[in-house]
């Protein structure tokens, strides 16, 4: 499905024109948790932003969140920002050198490197998953980049991946991390989707920070599972080393220069969510279960239409390859992923960003399909989906899945 051919390292700005804007992250399709809304409202009178990197309450809450996941850290090892994009840009700026990332990768990664003027190179993913580069392809890419005068210094990965919705197997993840560290690369592990596993009791998810604690910075956008995207906040966990402390200081300098400060009411709500009280933990579990059921149904529809997709394991999306339907799509005037994006967005009435936004070739016919729009069009329908024992049997979910399947089936 995804090629692992080894060719000349390709810069992220080669192959097609720049993407002027990125698609939004997959929408949860669920109303705001009332408990979080109350915390935000109670903090609305606060008029000042958090200090650069986040205040003590927010950083302590983030530390507790990671402690519960086996990643020990102190508040001074953490930095917060109003969203993953400015925080990632600050991390790239703090490390220097060239950036490597898997193909495909989250849509925001390439623009961050471009804005900073950093050379960025894609590395093919293994057959088993997305989110991480094939370890042998990574070593070869590093060698070739250096042979051409480059300075590869930073590797971006996402263990629970956007866009492919797959999880990296622990043994393969270890090989990739060991290959990166052996070549002197620092790893930024985007773990935004780690709390959205569809079958958490059947799935093993390890953080690279557990494997290479001194060489991994962990990034989490709370919009993945904890807070609404309209309340932007992301946190980063740095290794507990002097070198990482200096990099954290440079990140804070960058955030200060940008004025990238978290609003105090948002910080209070984020800290509450990071504490994972019962209502928040229950919402996380229910939402992941619901998204998993709907994603499995959407995956079956994709395969029935003759397209390809890895089974989604996390998140609220799946990544489909409509290459087998190329001739039928061409008859409809769809010959690349940009045209596929336009066609399916119109047909589904929801964003369906093409693979070119995630680093895939423009000529490929790949697309990220979100499950959030299938959960209902009103807060009442969405809440019913969340609490139903068999959500796929609800009339509004069944109807939405039928429309989704029909849009794909007509391309056969």
């Amino acid at each position: 499905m995804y090629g692992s051919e080894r060719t000349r390292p390709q810069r992220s700005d080669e192959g097609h024109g720049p993407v002027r804007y990125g698609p939004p992250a997959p929408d949860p399709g669920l109303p705001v948790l009332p408990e979080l809304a109350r915390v935000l409202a109670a903090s609305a009178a606060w008029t000042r932003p958090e200090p650069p990197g986040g205040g003590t309450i927010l950083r302590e809450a983030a530390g507790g969140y990671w402690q519960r996941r086996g990643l020990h850290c102190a508040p001074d090892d953490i930095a917060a920002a109003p969203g993953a994009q400015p925080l990632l840009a600050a991390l790239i700026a703090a490390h220097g050198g060239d950036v490597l990332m898997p193909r495909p990768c989250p849509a925001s990664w390439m623009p961050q490197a471009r804005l900073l003027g950093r050379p960025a190179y894609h590395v093919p993913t293994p057959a088993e998953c997305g989110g991480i580069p094939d370890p042998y392809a990574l070593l070869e890419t590093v060698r070739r980049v250096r042979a051409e005068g480059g300075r590869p210094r930073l590797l971006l990965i996402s263990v629970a991946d956007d866009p492919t919705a797959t999880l990296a197997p622990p043994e393969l993840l270890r090989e990739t991390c060991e290959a990166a560290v052996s070549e002197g690369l620092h790893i930024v592990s985007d773990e935004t989707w780690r709390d959205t596993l569809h079958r958490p009791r059947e799935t093993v998810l390890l953080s690279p920070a557990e494997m290479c604690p001194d060489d991994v910075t962990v990034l989490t956008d709370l919009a993945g599972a904890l807070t609404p995207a309209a309340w932007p906040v992301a946190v980063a966990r740095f290794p507990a080393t002097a070198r990482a402390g200096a990099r954290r200081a440079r990140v804070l300098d960058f955030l200060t220069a940008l004025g990238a400060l978290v609003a105090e009411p948002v910080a209070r709500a984020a800290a509450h969510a990071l504490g994972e009280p019962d209502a928040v933990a229950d919402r996380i579990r229910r939402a992941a279960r619901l998204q998993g059921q709907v994603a499995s149904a959407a995956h079956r529809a994709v395969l029935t239409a003759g397209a390809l997709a890895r089974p989604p394991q996390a998140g609220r999306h799946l990544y489909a390859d409509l290459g087998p339907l190329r001739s039928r799509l061409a008859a409809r005037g769809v010959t690349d992923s940009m045209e596929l994006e336009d066609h399916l967005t119109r047909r589904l009435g929801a964003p369906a960003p093409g693979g070119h936004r995630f680093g895939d070739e423009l000529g490929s016919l790949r697309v990220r399909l979100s499950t959030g729009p299938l959960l209902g069009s009103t807060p009442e329908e969405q809440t019913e989906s969340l609490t139903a024992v068999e959500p796929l049997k609800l009339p509004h979910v069944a109807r939405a899945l039928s429309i989704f399947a029909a849009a794909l089936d007509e391309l056969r």
Side-chain angles (χ1 to χ4, degrees):
M1 179 177 170
Y2 303 108
S4 59
E5 68 277 2
R6 300 177 184 178
T7 59
R8 180 181 69 87
Q10 186 178 40
R11 289 261 302 261
S12 65
D13 54 356
E14 295 178 347
H16 55 78
V19 178
R20 297 298 182 186
Y21 63 93
D27 186 83
L30 296 170
V32 175
L33 183 65
E35 181 172 311
L36 287 184
R38 287 193 293 270
V39 173
L40 185 76
S43 307
W46 290 83
T47 58
R48 65 177 185 269
E50 294 272 285
T56 302
I57 293 174
L58 177 56
R59 288 184 288 113
E60 286 180 344
Y65 168 87
W66 274 308
Q67 292 271 8
R68 292 188 294 276
R69 286 153 181 80
L71 299 177
H72 303 292
C73 56
D76 288 344
D77 299 326
I78 294 169
Q85 286 86 349
L87 189 51
L88 178 61
L91 288 169
I92 295 173
H95 281 83
D98 301 352
V99 184
L100 281 71
M101 59 189 75
R103 180 195 298 276
C105 65
S108 64
W109 288 3
M110 289 186 293
Q112 301 304 318
R114 289 174 181 168
L115 283 172
L116 294 168
R118 295 293 174 79
Y121 299 88
H122 286 292
V123 186
T125 57
E128 295 90 335
C129 65
I132 63 172
D134 176 89
Y136 297 103
L138 174 63
L139 291 172
E140 182 174 336
T141 300
V142 169
R143 179 184 64 81
R144 293 189 178 190
V145 169
R146 285 180 176 149
E148 295 179 5
R151 296 187 306 119
R153 299 285 297 277
L154 193 63
L155 173 65
L156 310 182
I157 63 175
S158 54
V159 180
D161 185 41
D162 172 19
T164 66
T166 60
L167 301 180
E171 62 280 4
L172 187 55
L173 176 63
R174 180 177 292 279
E175 291 180 24
T176 295
C177 291
E178 289 177 349
V181 172
S182 72
E183 293 296 331
L185 302 180
H186 187 78
I187 300 168
V188 172
S189 175
D190 186 337
E191 300 182 10
T192 293
W193 302 101
R194 70 167 297 154
D195 295 321
T196 67
L197 304 187
H198 297 166
R199 297 175 180 83
R201 296 182 179 178
E202 305 170 18
T203 309
V204 177
L205 185 150
L206 293 180
S207 170
E210 299 177 66
M211 304 174 178
C212 308
D214 293 342
D215 299 290
V216 177
T217 298
V218 178
L219 170 67
T220 297
D221 188 339
L222 271 63
L226 292 166
T227 60
W231 307 353
V233 59
V235 288
R237 173 196 178 272
F238 294 81
T241 65
R243 188 175 187 182
R247 286 172 174 162
R248 178 180 179 274
R250 290 199 292 274
V251 165
L252 298 188
D253 287 342
F254 191 89
L255 296 174
T256 301
L258 288 179
L261 310 176
V262 181
E264 181 80 17
V266 172
R268 298 273 174 152
H272 186 81
L274 284 164
E276 298 177 288
D278 289 345
V280 172
D282 182 66
R283 166 59 74 88
I284 291 172
R285 287 192 297 267
R286 288 179 179 271
R289 175 180 172 274
L290 171 62
Q291 298 286 2
Q293 289 179 300
V294 175
S296 292
H299 181 248
R300 289 192 294 271
V302 168
L303 298 184
T304 299
L308 302 173
R310 294 189 181 105
Q313 298 172 281
R316 38 189 184 251
H317 55 281
L318 66 157
Y319 199 55
D321 184 350
L322 275 66
L325 309 178
R326 183 176 295 275
S327 60
R328 294 295 301 271
L329 286 166
R332 295 173 176 271
V334 176
T335 60
D336 60 32
S337 63
M338 190 176 297
E339 293 168 345
L340 179 62
E341 173 183 306
D342 292 341
H343 174 80
L344 285 178
T345 296
R346 286 194 304 268
R347 183 65 178 81
L348 296 173
H356 60 287
R357 300 193 181 277
F358 308 103
D360 267 330
E361 296 293 340
L362 182 64
S364 68
L365 291 172
R366 295 172 187 148
V367 62
R368 188 186 70 189
L369 301 167
S370 297
T371 55
L374 305 175
L375 307 184
S377 57
T378 67
E380 293 76 19
E381 288 183 346
Q382 295 163 354
T383 300
E384 187 180 10
S385 298
L386 189 66
T387 56
V389 176
E390 297 183 287
L392 301 185
K393 294 184 177 180
L394 294 174
H396 61 271
V397 175
R399 182 169 58 251
L401 282 168
S402 177
I403 294 171
F404 178 89
L408 295 170
D409 198 56
E410 69 186 19
L411 302 177
R412 297 176 66 181

